[in-house]
């Protein structure tokens, strides 16, 4: 499933910072704070975090839907940080998107065919029939009948609409698709279908994905690498399995521990372990680590100094003042999170 | 709150400048000479020259305007070119008449309109449906026509109320009230309809909202849901429509005052306009605008009281 | 994948216009709209044709003076006026000026209002603020007064008057267009179009404009009515259309002048004006109804829910009201009125909740879990009604209670919290006030006692600063804090059962942990039972004692939590557990459930999960499957439950 077909770099994001104005007399809200990452051809990078972590903003900045305050975004070697309408149009052949809400992402008053044909407006050389055939072909690939072309979005269920949204992204042959919470609005029994479809398509067309989600369980399935965000900053990043099974940052651990697992015995054990940690829930934006106000292990230094990214023996990078002593690195082997029942 | 007051003042100044400069701009745009147009073919050359001078047409427009403005801020609106009386004096005499007419109409609109709207939103059955139908018909009737019908029914057929004329409050309070009854009734009908409609829609909207359902699910009794929760939340759009209707009432007052021969600003406006008495028209327009600004200010304050989000930001 | 595919099939061109034609067709299906359109069309024809066919009327100074002030007769259908002229002729010819006036005003309104409204709504930012400021400025001018100012300079000039009217009322259309554009602008399909590199003008023309046609027409019809009333008013004052020109307003004025001699004359022009305004208003209403019914979720206009007839099914065994059952649901069937007849959202739902027990109702969207919860409280609302079944709570059947009696139960016996804490609280009242209201409604506490109780409640839900929180408005709270307040309100009447409908779905996982923890501790301290509606099996595993699994409106399995996760007795439960991403290896495909949930009203015969089931046999197609007892307090709606359970 997760095989990278090439190492060719598609996207390079450097120290990306996005600020939202908050009205007169108030400091702008820093939604994304100096985030750096790359995505290679055929690779999936998972961006994980809770609301307000800046994960969706990063996707929107790459797509040109919000303009970055600082930093740079390069796509295929070309700087697109502040690309204009014309550059965006050319770029849309390589960069596509799948949004979270399948109900709002399709214009309800236009047929599926019209919506799909819109992606090919840059190809005036194609006849109407060709565009239609292409639409039918792509619909077939995502598992929908070609008769869908003349129907309206209201005729389809959430899962089917998300397939249509995927088809729209595939109308051109993109190199990178931004997937902004593509399955979180879907029912559980349909989620797996869409996730499987996405990974099949990745293999088939060597697509790169930026997979934005709040659920680490979902993200690790599709991702080669994972970035964990909090308060607009990168907390931890690295190979998906390493981040998921051997998290070193207290926030990553908290995130993993918080998601309840569908197993009463295991869940009870996790709850007992969590109850031993002091509950900290402060407000405000500390000058140092953004997680400091909620971190059970925070020291004064965490509130005053922003930690630097450090490479760990597990191959991950972590931004935490205490990652070494909290995880007893390097002397002790980390406890394995992969508890037997799932295997 | 303070910032709101400042913002209102900032809006009021350009508004007044805009209205007061309007007739000057229009005069300068008029093909040919306004004085000639006013006099038509009837005027002698002497009259023409006199009128030109009186209108200040021998000066550039901006100077005319400046001249007018510098006197207007002291309350001097010049003299009527028709009868030579002081425009300001005329306005002061007529303002209370128009204001009592309009405040009466606002009072009726709010009381009857909100009550009717709440009733129509909450109750089922023929009475609620009859209100809805009545609202639609009343809304469609032109105010001057309704006024005429009221005169026919209440003054001519039933002889309950005087058909036309106005008795000042100082002369006889009962006669004053009787003389205003029909004009206020006629004037308010349209805005009553608008307020009923808006109140009904806003109430239905709020009563269908999640927080009302959630409050109901947790045992809050229907009386409180309707008269506390729904009414307070529905009040915001209702205040908006009352504000807009009030502005509209000034137009209606112009018609009603003429129909009922009420000596208010509206009848002054029409007679002046018909006789091209531009200084008088201009002054009435400015005074009307000033009153409208005060109404808008009151609406803003009402918003602030009703909407906690506005208050805190 | 090749970009240019070979021609495999020739089909007709996809119709992008069909959405618009559907709109027109739906509009024409309404008699009210058709009547209005026909009337307005006839009026337009009259306005154009009658001055041509009756060329002398416009300049006619007087008719037969001996024949003046006559009522309707065969010669003069609508009588004659004070100068002996035919009223009908003057009414017909007079329509031209009226419609020209309205037309001029509308053109000006559209030219200014639509482009500027689209611009402000689509571009936003400073431009939007400036345009809104100007619009508010213009809207707060008394339009009629300014029109008269213009007429004092341009005497009797209809076009000047109506252009002024247009300029002064354009902001009303501007505001409607802008307000309609804003939510469309936020739709993700607009973002998708931007990403596709489509130009802003294309996006506005193709994506925004078609979606806001409805509100534009509605506002235009209102503005047309306003322009008509203004035009006739000005003519009434003889500020325009001076004699001898015929005009509707002028005819009313003539009629008023001779009211004492001939009362008839004010009727024909009055009715003409009123009918035209009415036609415009009703057309606007019809367009609004059609344009909202098309896009928004269906909401039936019924104002009150019908009181359900008391129905005692003989086949439903009366449940024993013993001490270990707090809430007993039996055979609950709920249906909703829809365009295609009644659809059943929940069928034959049966389960029990014991005192102090936490029962999870788990299932996907549309499986009937929320419907069931709302039916218990008698809160189904628009179009929904209980067809059959019982809900025993504390010795009474909740479903047979009158509205007044069920109100007594709500809040004080059974409380309810929902998924969206932010929209569960009234935005116009302080938190403290809302909690105090709930305390007063559900307990005998009043005054200082009630206030003390509010303080206590806020402390119970562990809000950091209860005194400060009481003074706050809902919009000042975060999602997690709002859910705590909602829970505090639910606790006000010390209910024996709390129905929590997806209480943590809108919250982040770290916040979810805290809310679940809070619910757990409240239950421990107060012995309150919880009926937890959720789609998340993880939440079930975390907090529930027993589980009810629902699928397509039916209960498919009930079991203790330990049993359900260890030995699921229904293929759907099994598949749901298997496809959960948490239970998977990192590599390889996820196990999936093929197909999708059947739609309400289109249920397969036999087992409803059959089309998606991998373990089905012909026996599954035979009629309705009953709930089978397969273990101690373990039931499954599967004919193969025992085999399934042992796999």
């Amino acid at each position: 499933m997760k095989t990278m077909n090439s190492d060719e770099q598609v996207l390079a994001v450097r120290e990306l910072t996005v600020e939202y104005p908050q009205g007169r007399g108030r400091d702008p809200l820093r939604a994304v704070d100096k985030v750096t990452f790359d995505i290679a051809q055929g690779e999936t990078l998972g961006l994980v975090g809770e609301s307000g972590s800046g994960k969706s903003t990063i996707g929107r900045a790459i797509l040109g839907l919000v303009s970055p305050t600082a930093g740079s975004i390069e796509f295929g070697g070309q700087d697109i940080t502040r690309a204009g309408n014309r550059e965006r149009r050319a770029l849309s052949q390589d960069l596509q998107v799948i949004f979270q809400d399948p109900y709002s992402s399709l214009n309800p008053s236009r047929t599926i065919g019209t919506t799909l044909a819109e992606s090919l407006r840059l190809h005036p050389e194609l006849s109407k029939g060709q565009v239609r055939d292409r639409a039918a072909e792509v619909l077939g690939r995502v598992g929908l009948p070609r008769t869908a072309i003349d129907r309206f979005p209201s005729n389809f269920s959430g899962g089917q609409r998300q397939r249509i949204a995927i088809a729209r992204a595939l109308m051109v042959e993109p190199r990178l698709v931004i997937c902004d919470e593509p399955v979180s609005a879907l029912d559980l029994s349909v989620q797996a279908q869409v996730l499987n479809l996405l990974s099949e398509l990745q293999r088939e067309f060597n697509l790169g994905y930026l997979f934005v989600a709040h659920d680490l369980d979902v993200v690790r399935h599709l991702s080669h690498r994972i970035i964990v965000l909090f308060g607009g900053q990168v907390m931890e990043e690295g190979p998906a399995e390493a981040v998921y099974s051997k998290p070193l940052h207290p926030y990553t651990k908290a995130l993993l521990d918080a998601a309840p697992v569908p197993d009463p015995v295991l869940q009870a054990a996790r709850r007992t372990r969590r109850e031993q940690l002091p509950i900290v829930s402060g407000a405000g934006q500390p000058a140092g680590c953004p997680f400091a106000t909620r971190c059970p292990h925070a020291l004064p230094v965490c509130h005053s100094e922003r930690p630097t990214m450090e490479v760990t023996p597990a191959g991950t990078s972590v931004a935490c003042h205490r990652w070494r002593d909290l995880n007893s690195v390097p002397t002790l082997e980390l406890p394995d999170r992969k508890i037997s029942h799932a295997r | 709150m303070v910032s709101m007051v400042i913002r209102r003042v900032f809006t009021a100044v350009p508004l007044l400048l805009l209205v007061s400069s309007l007739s000057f701009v229009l005069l300068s745009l008029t093909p040919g000479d306004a004085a000639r147009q006013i006099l038509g073919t009837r005027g002698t050359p002497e009259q023409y020259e006199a009128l030109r001078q009186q209108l200040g047409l021998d000066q550039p427009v901006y100077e005319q305007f400046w001249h007018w403005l510098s006197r207007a801020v002291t309350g001097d609106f010049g003299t009527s070119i028709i009868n030579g009386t002081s425009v300001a004096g005329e306005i002061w005499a007529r303002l209370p008449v128009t204001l009592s007419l309009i405040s009466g109409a606002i009072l009726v609109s709010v009381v009857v309109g909100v009550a009717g709207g709440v009733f129509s939103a909450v109750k089922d059955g023929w009475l609620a449906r009859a209100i809805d139908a009545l609202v639609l018909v009343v809304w469609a009737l032109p105010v001057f026509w309704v006024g005429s019908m009221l005169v026919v029914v209440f003054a001519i057929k039933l002889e309950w109320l005087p058909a036309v004329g106005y008795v000042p409050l100082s002369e006889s309070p009962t006669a004053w009230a009787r003389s205003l009854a029909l004009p206020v009734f006629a004037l308010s009908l349209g805005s009553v309809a608008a307020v009923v409609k808006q109140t009904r829609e806003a109430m239905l909207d709020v009563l269908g909202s999640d927080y009302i359902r959630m409050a109901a699910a947790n045992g809050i009794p229907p009386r409180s849901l309707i008269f506390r929760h729904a009414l307070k939340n529905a009040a915001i759009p209702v205040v908006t429509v009352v504000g807009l209707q009030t502005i509209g009432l000034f137009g209606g007052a112009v018609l009603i005052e003429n129909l009922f021969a009420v000596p208010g600003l509206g009848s002054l406006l029409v007679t002046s306009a018909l006789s091209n008495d531009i200084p008088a028209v201009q002054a009435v327009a400015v005074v009307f605008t000033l009153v409208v600004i005060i109404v808008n200010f009151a609406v803003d304050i009402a918003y602030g009281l009703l909407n906690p989000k506005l208050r805190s930001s | 994948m090749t970009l240019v595919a070979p021609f495999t099939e020739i089909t007709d061109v996809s119709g992008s216009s069909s959405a618009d034609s559907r709109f027109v067709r739906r509009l024409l299906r309404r008699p009210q709209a058709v009547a209005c359109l026909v009337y307005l069309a006839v009026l337009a024809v009259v306005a154009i044709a009658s001055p041509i066919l009756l060329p002398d009327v416009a300049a006619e100074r007087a008719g037969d003076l001996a024949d003046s002030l006559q009522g309707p007769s065969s010669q003069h259908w609508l009588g004659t006026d004070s100068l002996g002229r035919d009223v009908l002729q003057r009414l017909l010819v007079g329509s031209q000026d009226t419609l020209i006036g309205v037309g001029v005003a509308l053109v000006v309104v559209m030219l200014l209002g639509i482009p500027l409204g689209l611009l402000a709504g689509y571009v936003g930012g400073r431009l939007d603020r400036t345009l809104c400021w100007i619009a508010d400025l213009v809207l707060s001018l008394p339009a009629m007064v300014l029109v008269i100012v213009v007429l004092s300079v341009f005497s009797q000039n209809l076009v000047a008057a109506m252009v002024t009217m247009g300029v002064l009322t354009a902001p009303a259309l501007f505001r409607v267009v802008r307000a309609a554009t804003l939510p469309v602008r936020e739709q993700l399909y607009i973002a998708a179009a931007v990403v596709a590199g489509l130009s802003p003008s294309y996006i506005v023309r193709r994506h925004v404009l078609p979606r806001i046609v409805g509100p534009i027409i509605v506002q235009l019809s209102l503005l047309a009515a306003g322009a008509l009333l203004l035009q006739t008013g000005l003519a009434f004052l003889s500020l325009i259309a001076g004699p001898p020109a015929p005009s509707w307003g002028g005819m009313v004025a003539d009629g008023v002048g001779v009211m004492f001699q001939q009362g008839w004359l004010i009727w024909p022009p009055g009715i003409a004006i009123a009918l035209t305004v009415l036609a415009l208003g009703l057309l606007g209403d019809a367009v609004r109804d059609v344009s909202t019914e098309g896009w928004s979720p269906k909401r039936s206009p019924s104002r009150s829910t019908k009181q359900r007839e008391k129905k005692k099914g003989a086949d439903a065994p009366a449940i024993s009201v013993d001490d270990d059952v707090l809430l007993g649901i039996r055979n609950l069937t709920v249906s909703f009125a829809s365009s295609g007849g009644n659809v059943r959202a929940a069928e034959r739902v049966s389960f029990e909740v014991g005192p102090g027990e936490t029962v999870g109702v788990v299932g996907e969207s549309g499986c009937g879990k929320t419907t069931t919860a709302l039916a218990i409280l008698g809160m189904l609302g628009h179009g929904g009604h209980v067809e059959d079944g019982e809900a025993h709570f504390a010795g009474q059947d909740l479903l047979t209670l009158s509205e007044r009696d069920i109100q007594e139960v709500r809040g004080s016996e059974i409380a309810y919290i929902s998924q969206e804490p932010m929209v569960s609280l009234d935005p116009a009242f302080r938190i403290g006030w809302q909690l105090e209201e709930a305390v007063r409604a559900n307990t005998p506490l009043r005054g200082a006692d009630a206030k003390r109780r509010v303080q206590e409640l806020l402390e119970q839900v562990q809000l950091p600063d209860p005194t400060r929180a009481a003074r706050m408005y809902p919009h000042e709270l975060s999602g997690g804090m709002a859910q705590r307040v909602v829970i505090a309100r639910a606790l006000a009447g010390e209910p024996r059962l709390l129905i929590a409908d997806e209480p943590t779905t809108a919250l982040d996982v770290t916040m979810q942990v805290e809310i679940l923890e809070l619910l757990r501790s409240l239950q421990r301290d107060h012995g309150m039972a919880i009926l937890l509606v959720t789609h998340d099996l993880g939440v079930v595993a975390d907090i529930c004692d027993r589980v009810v699994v629902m699928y397509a409106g039916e209960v498919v399995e009930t079991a203790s939590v330990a049993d359900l996760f260890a030995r699921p007795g229904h293929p759907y439960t099994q598949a749901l557990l298997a496809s959960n991403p948490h239970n998977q290896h990192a590599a390889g495909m996820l196990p999936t459930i093929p197909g999708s949930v059947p739609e309400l009203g289109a249920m397969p015969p036999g087992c409803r999960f059959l089309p998606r089931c991998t373990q089905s046999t012909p026996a599954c197609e035979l009629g309705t499957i009953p709930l089978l007892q397969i273990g101690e307090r373990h039931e499954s709606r599967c004919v193969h439950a025992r085999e399934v359970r042992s796999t």
Side-chain angles (χ1 to χ4, degrees), chain C residues 32-72:
Chain C
Q32 175 190 327
V34 174
C36 294
L37 285 170
V38 167
Y39 174 85
L40 292 174
V42 168
L43 187 65
V45 171
V46 166
I48 295 164
S50 53
I52 302 168
L53 297 174
L54 302 163
D56 305 329
V57 172
E60 188 184 17
R61 288 202 169 271
D64 184 357
L65 284 171
D67 205 16
S68 67
L69 293 178
Q70 297 301 305

Coordinates of all heavy atoms in Angstrom, one line a residue, chain C residues 32-72:
Chain C
Q32 N -50.7 30.4 -7.4 CA -50.5 31.7 -7.0 C -49.5 32.5 -7.8 O -49.7 33.6 -8.3 CB -50.0 31.7 -5.5 CG -49.7 33.0 -4.9 CD -48.9 32.8 -3.6 OE1 -49.2 31.9 -2.8 NE2 -48.0 33.7 -3.2
A33 N -48.4 31.8 -8.1 CA -47.3 32.4 -8.9 C -47.8 32.6 -10.4 O -47.6 33.7 -11.0 CB -46.1 31.6 -8.9
V34 N -48.5 31.6 -10.9 CA -49.0 31.7 -12.3 C -50.0 32.9 -12.4 O -49.9 33.7 -13.3 CB -49.7 30.4 -12.7 CG1 -50.4 30.6 -14.1 CG2 -48.7 29.3 -12.7
A35 N -51.0 33.0 -11.4 CA -51.9 34.1 -11.4 C -51.2 35.4 -11.4 O -51.6 36.3 -12.2 CB -52.9 33.9 -10.2
C36 N -50.2 35.6 -10.6 CA -49.5 36.9 -10.5 C -48.8 37.2 -11.8 O -48.9 38.3 -12.3 CB -48.5 36.8 -9.4 SG -49.2 36.7 -7.8
L37 N -48.1 36.1 -12.4 CA -47.4 36.4 -13.6 C -48.4 36.8 -14.7 O -48.1 37.7 -15.5 CB -46.6 35.1 -14.0 CG -45.4 34.9 -13.2 CD1 -44.8 33.5 -13.4 CD2 -44.3 36.0 -13.5
V38 N -49.5 36.1 -14.8 CA -50.5 36.4 -15.9 C -51.0 37.8 -15.7 O -51.0 38.6 -16.7 CB -51.7 35.3 -15.8 CG1 -52.8 35.8 -16.7 CG2 -51.2 34.0 -16.3
Y39 N -51.4 38.2 -14.5 CA -51.8 39.5 -14.2 C -50.8 40.6 -14.7 O -51.1 41.5 -15.4 CB -52.2 39.7 -12.7 CG -52.5 41.1 -12.4 CD1 -53.9 41.6 -12.6 CD2 -51.6 42.0 -11.9 CE1 -54.2 42.9 -12.3 CE2 -51.9 43.3 -11.7 CZ -53.2 43.8 -11.8 OH -53.6 45.1 -11.5
L40 N -49.6 40.3 -14.3 CA -48.5 41.3 -14.6 C -48.3 41.4 -16.1 O -48.0 42.5 -16.7 CB -47.2 41.0 -13.8 CG -47.3 41.2 -12.3 CD1 -46.1 40.7 -11.6 CD2 -47.6 42.7 -12.0
A41 N -48.3 40.2 -16.8 CA -48.1 40.2 -18.2 C -49.3 41.0 -18.9 O -49.0 41.8 -19.8 CB -48.1 38.7 -18.7
V42 N -50.5 40.7 -18.5 CA -51.6 41.4 -19.1 C -51.5 42.9 -18.9 O -51.6 43.7 -19.8 CB -53.0 40.9 -18.5 CG1 -54.1 41.9 -18.8 CG2 -53.2 39.5 -18.9
L43 N -51.1 43.3 -17.7 CA -50.9 44.7 -17.4 C -49.8 45.3 -18.3 O -50.0 46.5 -18.8 CB -50.4 44.9 -15.9 CG -50.4 46.3 -15.4 CD1 -51.8 46.9 -15.4 CD2 -49.8 46.3 -14.0
A44 N -48.7 44.6 -18.5 CA -47.7 45.1 -19.4 C -48.2 45.3 -20.8 O -47.9 46.4 -21.4 CB -46.5 44.1 -19.4
V45 N -49.0 44.4 -21.3 CA -49.6 44.5 -22.6 C -50.5 45.7 -22.7 O -50.4 46.5 -23.6 CB -50.4 43.2 -23.0 CG1 -51.1 43.4 -24.3 CG2 -49.4 42.0 -23.1
V46 N -51.3 45.9 -21.7 CA -52.2 47.0 -21.6 C -51.4 48.3 -21.6 O -51.8 49.3 -22.4 CB -53.1 46.9 -20.3 CG1 -53.8 48.3 -20.0 CG2 -54.1 45.8 -20.5
A47 N -50.4 48.4 -20.8 CA -49.6 49.6 -20.7 C -49.0 50.0 -22.1 O -48.9 51.2 -22.4 CB -48.5 49.4 -19.7
I48 N -48.6 49.0 -22.9 CA -48.0 49.2 -24.2 C -49.1 49.6 -25.2 O -49.0 50.5 -25.9 CB -47.2 48.1 -24.6 CG1 -46.0 47.9 -23.7 CG2 -46.7 48.3 -26.1 CD1 -45.3 46.5 -23.8
A49 N -50.2 48.8 -25.2 CA -51.1 48.8 -26.3 C -52.1 50.0 -26.1 O -52.5 50.6 -27.1 CB -51.9 47.5 -26.4
S50 N -52.6 50.2 -24.9 CA -53.8 51.1 -24.8 C -53.5 52.6 -25.2 O -54.3 53.2 -25.8 CB -54.4 51.1 -23.4 OG -53.4 51.3 -22.4
P51 N -52.3 53.1 -24.9 CA -52.0 54.5 -25.5 C -52.0 54.5 -27.0 O -52.4 55.5 -27.6 CB -50.7 54.8 -24.9 CG -50.5 53.9 -23.7 CD -51.2 52.7 -24.1
I52 N -51.7 53.4 -27.6 CA -51.7 53.3 -29.1 C -53.1 53.2 -29.6 O -53.6 53.9 -30.5 CB -50.9 52.1 -29.6 CG1 -49.4 52.3 -29.1 CG2 -50.9 52.0 -31.1 CD1 -48.6 51.1 -29.3
L53 N -53.9 52.3 -28.9 CA -55.3 52.1 -29.4 C -56.2 53.3 -29.0 O -57.2 53.5 -29.6 CB -55.8 50.8 -28.8 CG -55.1 49.5 -29.2 CD1 -55.6 48.3 -28.4 CD2 -55.2 49.3 -30.7
L54 N -55.9 54.0 -27.9 CA -56.7 55.1 -27.4 C -55.9 56.4 -27.4 O -55.5 56.9 -26.4 CB -57.2 54.8 -26.0 CG -58.1 53.5 -25.8 CD1 -58.2 53.1 -24.4 CD2 -59.4 53.7 -26.5
P55 N -55.5 56.8 -28.6 CA -54.5 57.9 -28.7 C -55.0 59.3 -28.1 O -54.2 60.1 -27.7 CB -54.2 58.1 -30.2 CG -55.4 57.5 -30.8 CD -55.9 56.4 -29.9
D56 N -56.3 59.4 -28.0 CA -56.8 60.7 -27.6 C -57.0 60.9 -26.1 O -57.0 62.0 -25.6 CB -58.2 61.0 -28.2 CG -58.2 60.8 -29.7 OD1 -57.1 61.1 -30.3 OD2 -59.2 60.4 -30.3
V57 N -57.0 59.8 -25.4 CA -57.3 59.8 -24.0 C -56.2 60.6 -23.2 O -56.6 61.4 -22.3 CB -57.3 58.4 -23.4 CG1 -57.5 58.4 -21.9 CG2 -58.5 57.7 -24.0
A58 N -55.0 60.5 -23.5 CA -53.9 61.1 -22.7 C -54.1 62.6 -22.7 O -53.7 63.3 -21.7 CB -52.5 60.7 -23.3
A59 N -54.5 63.2 -23.8 CA -54.6 64.7 -23.8 C -56.0 65.2 -23.6 O -56.3 66.4 -23.7 CB -54.1 65.2 -25.1
E60 N -57.0 64.3 -23.4 CA -58.4 64.7 -23.3 C -58.6 65.5 -22.0 O -58.4 65.1 -20.9 CB -59.2 63.4 -23.2 CG -60.7 63.7 -23.3 CD -61.5 62.4 -23.1 OE1 -61.0 61.4 -22.6 OE2 -62.7 62.4 -23.4
R61 N -59.0 66.8 -22.2 CA -59.2 67.7 -21.1 C -60.5 67.5 -20.4 O -60.7 67.7 -19.2 CB -59.0 69.1 -21.5 CG -57.5 69.4 -21.8 CD -57.2 70.9 -21.8 NE -55.7 71.0 -21.8 CZ -55.0 71.0 -20.7 NH1 -55.5 71.0 -19.5 NH2 -53.7 71.2 -20.8
A62 N -61.5 67.3 -21.3 CA -62.9 67.0 -20.7 C -63.7 66.2 -21.7 O -63.5 66.2 -22.9 CB -63.6 68.4 -20.5
G63 N -64.6 65.4 -21.1 CA -65.5 64.6 -21.9 C -66.8 65.3 -22.0 O -66.9 66.5 -22.1
D64 N -67.8 64.5 -21.9 CA -69.2 65.0 -22.0 C -69.6 65.5 -20.6 O -69.8 64.7 -19.7 CB -70.1 63.9 -22.4 CG -71.6 64.4 -22.6 OD1 -71.8 65.6 -22.3 OD2 -72.4 63.7 -23.0
L65 N -69.5 66.8 -20.4 CA -69.7 67.4 -19.0 C -71.1 67.1 -18.4 O -71.3 66.9 -17.2 CB -69.4 68.9 -19.0 CG -67.9 69.2 -19.0 CD1 -67.8 70.7 -19.2 CD2 -67.2 68.8 -17.8
A66 N -72.0 66.9 -19.3 CA -73.4 66.6 -18.9 C -73.4 65.2 -18.3 O -74.3 64.9 -17.5 CB -74.4 66.7 -20.0
D67 N -72.5 64.4 -18.7 CA -72.4 63.0 -18.3 C -71.4 62.7 -17.2 O -71.0 61.6 -17.1 CB -72.1 62.2 -19.6 CG -72.6 60.8 -19.5 OD1 -73.5 60.5 -18.6 OD2 -72.1 59.9 -20.3
S68 N -71.1 63.7 -16.4 CA -70.0 63.6 -15.5 C -70.5 62.9 -14.2 O -71.7 62.8 -13.9 CB -69.4 64.9 -15.1 OG -70.3 65.7 -14.4
L69 N -69.4 62.3 -13.5 CA -69.7 61.7 -12.2 C -70.8 60.6 -12.2 O -71.6 60.5 -11.3 CB -70.1 62.7 -11.1 CG -68.9 63.7 -10.7 CD1 -69.4 64.7 -9.8 CD2 -67.7 63.0 -10.2
Q70 N -70.7 59.8 -13.3 CA -71.7 58.7 -13.3 C -71.1 57.4 -12.8 O -69.9 57.2 -12.9 CB -72.1 58.4 -14.8 CG -72.8 59.6 -15.5 CD -74.1 60.0 -14.7 OE1 -74.9 59.1 -14.5 NE2 -74.2 61.2 -14.3
G71 N -71.9 56.6 -12.2 CA -71.4 55.3 -11.8 C -71.3 54.4 -13.0 O -71.5 54.8 -14.1
P72 N -70.9 53.1 -12.8 CA -70.8 52.2 -13.9 C -72.0 52.0 -14.7 O -73.1 52.0 -14.1 CB -70.4 50.8 -13.2 CG -69.9 51.2 -11.8 CD -70.6 52.5 -11.5

